[in-house]
Amino acid sequence: MSQATRPDEPSRADLRRWSRYLADERAEAAVYRDLARRRAGEERAILLALADAEGRHEAHWMSLLGDRAARVPAVSLRTRILGFFARRFGSVFVLALAQRAESRSPYETDAHATAAMAADERIHQEVVRGLAARGRARLSGTFRAAVFGANDGLVSNLALVLGIGATGVPAATVLFTGIAGLLAGALSMGAGEYVSVRSQRELLDASTPDPEVHTAVPHLDVDANELALVYRARGMSEQEALVHARAVVAEYDPAVAAARAAESRALGAVTDEHEEIGSAWGAATSSFCFFASGAVIPVVPYLLGLTGVAAVVTAAILVGLALLVTGTIVGVLSGASPWRRALRQLAIGYGAAAATYALGLAFGTTLA
């Protein structure tokens, strides 16, 4: 393992950089420990191991700084934000942020960091990615419906309100149109999400093997290949299926098979094997509520009594801020750049609204 050597006379820039690294390593170790306190079992052990690794990196920078290690600067804003969220929430958002932080480690290009430290940071990124993926899987069904429901509500109702408002109709008409669009869209989203998730779960349930089928095994004529057909349908070759079927019949124990079936039923009663899809009612409710929460924002200026250009500009600003928030959330969870995702959401939303606003102006001019 290669080791970095301490320069005889480090420059001021070196000392500042090492001090910053030291502060960040200490803070990142604290983040992992805070997250570990909110976890149990394997995840807790993994997070504590990551904290220990950050401690080794901390010791490296302390050895380079020597007596100067007592004058460590404040940690970076990014690391402070991570620590705050880890202490308050300990959620998948923190792991997603930590994943991005690990991916931006400067150790590979720093001559005073060891090759082992740079390798550690690359591996840490993959470890945190794996932990974050578990959280994303738990969120994927209902959370997906919630985030994209809110985004759809923002974009569709802003486009509707701006398009109608541009025609020059009274503000009361725009307000009623916005409320009607909110209700119609929320009901449509909720119903569609319920049908989608429910159908997906039913399809997966239909593909789940029957735990009671073992009762037929003692009465099978294995020479007729009935059991072998099951294994062939599951992908085995004809010869492999026949050999496996003969082994199952020869080794069949009714008591053991019944115990396994009972265990399977009990496990299914306490766990949801289709957890990643989410529940149909949960997805439908989230879609309805979040679409409505997004769709109400373009209507707020009209509810407050604004009219004309003032209402249009206010609605656009409010929706723009909300789109930046939803884009940032999606970016954080996906491990991508939050700002890039936020700006993309903003561009798409404003593009749709601009198109309907221009159409409204054209129709308004024609009607006038």
Side-chain angles (χ1 to χ4, degrees), residues 2-7 18 21-22 25 53-66 69 107 110-118:
S2 61
Q3 297 289 332
T5 58
R6 179 176 176 177
W18 298 347
Y21 290 161
L22 174 59
E25 292 290 1
E54 302 295 353
R56 293 193 298 272
H57 298 175
E58 175 189 344
H60 171 81
W61 299 118
M62 287 183 67
S63 68
L64 289 182
L65 286 166
Y107 289 170
D110 195 307
H112 300 111
T114 68
M117 291 169 63

Side-chain angles (χ1 to χ4, degrees), residues 177-203:
T177 302
I179 293 174
L182 181 158
L183 187 58
L187 288 171
S188 175
M189 287 288 293
E193 197 67 30
Y194 177 86
V195 171
S196 173
V197 174
R198 184 69 180 176
S199 298
Q200 192 172 359
R201 293 178 72 91
E202 288 171 349
L203 285 171

Side-chain angles (χ1 to χ4, degrees), residues 68-104:
R68 304 181 187 90
R71 299 188 296 275
V72 175
V75 299
S76 65
L77 177 62
R78 169 183 58 81
T79 308
R80 288 202 297 272
I81 292 173
L82 272 178
F84 173 81
F85 280 106
R87 289 189 296 273
R88 298 298 188 278
F89 306 107
S91 67
V92 64
F93 291 94
V94 182
L95 288 170
L97 288 170
Q99 177 186 330
R100 282 187 54 78
E102 295 287 1
S103 69
R104 294 196 298 264

Side-chain angles (χ1 to χ4, degrees), residues 156-172:
S156 64
N157 225 31
L158 177 66
L160 178 63
V161 167
L162 263 59
I164 294 296
T167 63
V169 298

Side-chain angles (χ1 to χ4, degrees), residues 21 138 233 260:
Y21 290 161
R138 289 190 288 266
R260 288 176 179 171

Side-chain angles (χ1 to χ4, degrees), residues 247-259:
V248 169
V249 172
E251 299 171 3
Y252 178 74
D253 184 333
V256 173

Side-chain angles (χ1 to χ4, degrees), residues 8-345:
D8 293 333
E9 294 184 5
S11 66
R12 287 182 177 272
D14 288 336
L15 293 174
R16 285 195 299 270
R17 190 173 69 257
W18 298 347
S19 296
R20 187 174 67 252
Y21 290 161
L22 174 59
D24 284 345
E25 292 290 1
R26 285 177 175 172
E28 287 169 9
V31 167
Y32 289 131
R33 291 191 184 96
D34 287 333
L35 287 172
R37 279 195 285 270
R38 295 174 175 270
R39 296 292 194 275
E42 186 68 12
E43 288 192 17
R44 176 184 175 85
I46 292 171
L47 288 165
L48 290 175
L50 288 174
D52 290 341
E54 302 295 353
R56 293 193 298 272
H57 298 175
E58 175 189 344
H60 171 81
W61 299 118
M62 287 183 67
S63 68
L64 289 182
L65 286 166
D67 295 337
R68 304 181 187 90
R71 299 188 296 275
V72 175
V75 299
S76 65
L77 177 62
R78 169 183 58 81
T79 308
R80 288 202 297 272
I81 292 173
L82 272 178
F84 173 81
F85 280 106
R87 289 189 296 273
R88 298 298 188 278
F89 306 107
S91 67
V92 64
F93 291 94
V94 182
L95 288 170
L97 288 170
Q99 177 186 330
R100 282 187 54 78
E102 295 287 1
S103 69
R104 294 196 298 264
S105 173
Y107 289 170
E108 288 191 2
T109 57
D110 195 307
H112 300 111
T114 68
M117 291 169 63
D120 282 348
E121 295 299 320
R122 291 182 67 87
I123 295 301
H124 290 178
Q125 178 188 356
E126 296 307 314
V127 173
V128 176
R129 189 196 307 276
L131 292 174
R134 297 184 183 186
R136 291 186 183 108
R138 289 190 288 266
L139 286 173
S140 61
T142 301
F143 184 80
R144 173 182 55 82
V147 170
F148 291 104
N151 191 70
D152 286 347
L154 288 165
V155 174
S156 64
N157 225 31
L158 177 66
L160 178 63
V161 167
L162 263 59
I164 294 296
T167 63
V169 298
T173 303
V174 179
L175 175 60
F176 176 77
T177 302
I179 293 174
L182 181 158
L183 187 58
L187 288 171
S188 175
M189 287 288 293
E193 197 67 30
Y194 177 86
V195 171
S196 173
V197 174
R198 184 69 180 176
S199 298
Q200 192 172 359
R201 293 178 72 91
E202 288 171 349
L203 285 171
L204 290 174
D205 286 337
S207 303
T208 302
D210 180 4
E212 300 297 335
V213 74
H214 71 91
T215 58
V217 172
H219 310 292
L220 287 174
D221 179 2
V222 73
D223 292 326
N225 295 333
E226 297 295 335
L227 186 57
L229 292 177
V230 174
Y231 299 118
R232 289 173 65 184
R234 293 179 182 176
M236 288 187 181
S237 67
E238 182 177 359
Q239 186 60 34
E240 289 174 336
L242 184 58
V243 171
H244 189 63
R246 290 183 183 278
V248 169
V249 172
E251 299 171 3
Y252 178 74
D253 184 333
V256 173
R260 288 176 179 171
E263 181 181 356
S264 177
R265 287 192 300 272
L267 184 62
V270 298
T271 62
D272 185 358
E273 60 185 2
H274 307 322
E275 179 184 11
E276 294 187 11
I277 303 173
S279 71
W281 279 112
T285 302
S286 296
S287 288
F288 180 93
C289 293
F290 278 83
F291 183 96
S293 68
V296 75
I297 292 177
V299 181
V300 167
Y302 295 92
L303 289 173
L304 296 177
L306 297 180
T307 60
V309 176
V312 168
V313 172
T314 303
I317 292 174
L318 292 176
V319 170
L321 293 174
L323 286 172
L324 289 174
V325 171
T326 59
T328 300
I329 291 173
V330 172
V332 167
L333 284 177
S334 64
S337 169
W339 284 112
R340 186 175 301 172
R341 293 297 178 92
L343 292 175
R344 185 180 69 181
Q345 295 280 84

